[in-house]
Amino acid sequence: MTTAPPRRPRWRSLILLALLLAPLLWPLQQLAERYYSTQLAEQNRQTLDLYVANLLGTLRRFEVLPAILGGLPALRDLLSEPADPARVDAANRLLTEVRGATGADVMYLLDPSGLTLASSNWDQPDSFVGLNFSFRPYFQEALSGRLTGFFGLGTTSGRRGYYYAAPIGEPGHVLGILVVKVNLDDAEKLWGNTPEQVLVTDGHGVVILTSRADWRFRASRPLSAEEHRRIAAEQPYPTLDPLPLALDANAWLIQSRELAETGWTVSILAPHRLVDRPVRTAVAIGGAALLVLLLLLGLLLQRRRHYLERIALDAQARRELELRVLERTRDLETLNSRLKEEVLEREQAQQELIRAQDELVQAGKLSALGTMSASISHELNQPLAAIRSYAQNGEVLLDHGRVEEARGNLRSIGELTGRMASIIAHLRAFARRDRHAPERVALQPAIDDALALLAKRRRALDVELIRDLPEATFWVQAGETRLRQVLGNLLANALDALSEKAPPRRIWISASQDEEGVRLTLRDNGPGFSAEALVHAREPFFTTKTSTQGLGLGLAICDTLMRALGGELLLDNHPEGGALLTLRLRNAEPGAALPSPEDTFA
Ligand code: ADP
């Protein structure tokens, strides 16, 4: 049986497929990026809103404070009499008190020249009292009668703050200026320590508040000469020349909100990696799913290939089996026809054998008849001679008128012809070729017939016959003639054997019957079978006699006939010497006794 060469796994085609499917990951990445960016933006927008609201809340809380405080009598009194220490003290205390109540960083009162008259930190080392702030832009603005706001570093504290300045008095007649500084340092603290960064740029684009210390006071855009000049004049930052803030636009997702009232921009910056990470995870999951799909596909393809291969193998095996069956059938047909021929030949051989056996039996019979003819002719000659002399004697008696005696002669002649007829009848029964199928035969008359034919020889040898046969007739399955032929042969053999020894000579004939059949034994007190004869006597042409005496066919014929009748012939020697032959015959249904020819030789 030939098998297909094992194919290598289709890994190469799987890799090719993977390369073809890989572009599918790109839209997945885009989709995931858009999704996570949107999510992050939404989240950051809310955070930004919160921070803006917080910042605005802080600023607005203090926006109106300067105008309100400007109306307080203690401050106005000081402005009208700046040199009065009592008024200075009263104003200082008031400002300290209000600062404490509002949470402002510092509050102070300037006269129209920018000199600080009173301050909430009057008793602190960094007290503003006596300092001049006329350089601050809010001073100029407020002097012109407007409420104003300004981002800047405290010149003494260094803290970032938003300054609200409000004029006291009428526009065009400003008595003084009240300044409230809001501390912005605390606003940064609220922004916490998250990956997102917050930064607030002022109108110059300079970072004033941020969650990252290294970004502070950096310029988010290039500054113009005018802006440089203003920075130098107003000094809002610790440096006069802010360094540029170099932000990698790709590294951050930026959202901004303008604060109109201050001119600031609040921005929240989310690092791009916050999006990259889930996107990478999503792509990895997608890739893994794709890989699993590919593997499953590969597995399915492989299983399908195995299945197809198995089907192909099965089909091939089936084809081969069919071929073998066909071959076997052809062989068997050839064998069958040969067997038929052989059977035919056997049948022919069998028929020829049967014919040959038949011929043999007949030949044996004729040969036996030949050997018996001498004694038979003697038997017939005897009565013939007697008849002749009775007839001649009868004639003489009649001539002398001795009619009664002549009648006696005639009666004797009649008896003698009866005896001759009997002899001839025995011969006829013997020579007849009978049917092959076993028939019902009476045993004792057959024995009588066989004995009758050999009676003369037996008497000549002076053989004593010892019969042990029951009165009742034994019916056996045999053939009338065949049984007689067998018995005749066996008795002739016994007489042959007895002739070789000195008297007394005896023949025993006995028979018994049981359910299995009839058992007839013939014993003589002759020399018995030689060891060789016991083995070979049943073979055709085995004889120990001279060629004139025997052909070696007798027992061969008897054996064949017995087996054909379903019986058996057993050869043995009697313990006391002499041959012991046993005939086993099958039982037959009893029937009417055949008219037995009169045994005139007994
Ligand atoms: P044949 O009588 O022509 O020799 P048989 O087949 O009848 O052939 O017998 C074969 C041989 O068996 C005889 O030659 C003889 O040696 C032996 N045999 C047969 N019957 C007897 C017997 N009653 N006693 C001794 N030997 C016998």
Side-chain angles (χ1 to χ4, degrees), residues 493-494 496-497 524 528-529 533 537 542-545 550-556 579 581:
N493 274 351
D496 285 348
D524 61 63
F529 289 96
F542 176 87
T543 178
T544 56
K545 299 168 191 171
L551 285 171
L553 285 174
L555 288 184
L581 292 109

Side-chain angles (χ1 to χ4, degrees), residues 585-598:
L585 286 154
R586 289 209 220 150
N587 283 327
E589 288 290 306
L594 285 176
S596 172
E598 191 187 349

Side-chain angles (χ1 to χ4, degrees), residues 65-132:
L65 204 58
I68 296 166
L69 292 176
L72 291 176
L75 300 184
R76 283 187 176 254
D77 287 352
L78 179 61
L79 284 174
S80 57
E81 204 64 57
D84 183 355
R87 291 189 183 195
V88 170
D89 188 55
N92 275 339
R93 285 182 194 284
L94 174 74
L95 287 175
T96 306
E97 196 181 322
V98 175
R99 188 204 78 88
T102 57
D105 191 28
V106 62
M107 292 175 180
Y108 48 104
L109 181 67
L110 307 177
D111 70 2
S113 69
L115 187 72
T116 307
L117 300 176
S119 172
S120 59
N121 61 358
W122 59 278
D123 52 352
Q124 304 290 318
D126 55 352
S127 168
F128 287 177
V129 180
L131 296 180
N132 193 305

Side-chain angles (χ1 to χ4, degrees), residues 554-575:
L555 288 184
I557 291 168
C558 290
D559 189 54
T560 309
L561 287 175
M562 282 310 290
R563 275 194 274 125
L565 292 172
E568 201 179 7
L569 168 65
L570 303 169
L571 308 185
D572 205 354
N573 284 323
H574 196 271

Side-chain angles (χ1 to χ4, degrees), residues 372-394:
M372 278 191 280
S373 62
S375 69
I376 289 165
S377 59
H378 177 83
E379 291 290 337
L380 289 178
N381 272 340
Q382 233 188 357
L384 269 179
I387 286 170
R388 196 182 306 121
S389 72
Y390 275 128
Q392 287 168 353
N393 200 11

Side-chain angles (χ1 to χ4, degrees), residues 416-474:
L416 283 168
T417 52
R419 193 162 136 192
M420 286 168 75
S422 162
I423 292 170
I424 290 164
H426 283 306
L427 270 178
R428 268 226 311 276
F430 197 82
R432 201 169 56 217
R433 204 191 270 259
D434 68 353
R435 290 173 307 182
H436 286 290
E439 56 192 347
R440 205 166 44 187
V441 178
L443 182 65
Q444 285 91 332
I447 296 172
D448 289 342
D449 277 350
L451 283 170
L453 286 175
L454 294 162
K456 183 176 175 283
R457 243 192 112 199
R458 183 168 65 79
R459 273 201 305 273
L461 287 170
D462 190 18
V463 176
E464 184 188 353
L465 182 69
I466 302 155
R467 285 172 66 126
D468 182 15
L469 296 171
E471 282 298 310
T473 309
F474 286 160

Side-chain angles (χ1 to χ4, degrees), residues 255-276:
Q255 280 171 284
S256 302
R257 185 73 44 85
E258 302 280 337
L259 296 188
E261 49 260 79
T262 56
W264 294 353
T265 305
V266 183
S267 303
I268 185 158
L269 288 84
H272 215 284
R273 66 187 155 82
L274 289 185
V275 175
D276 288 349

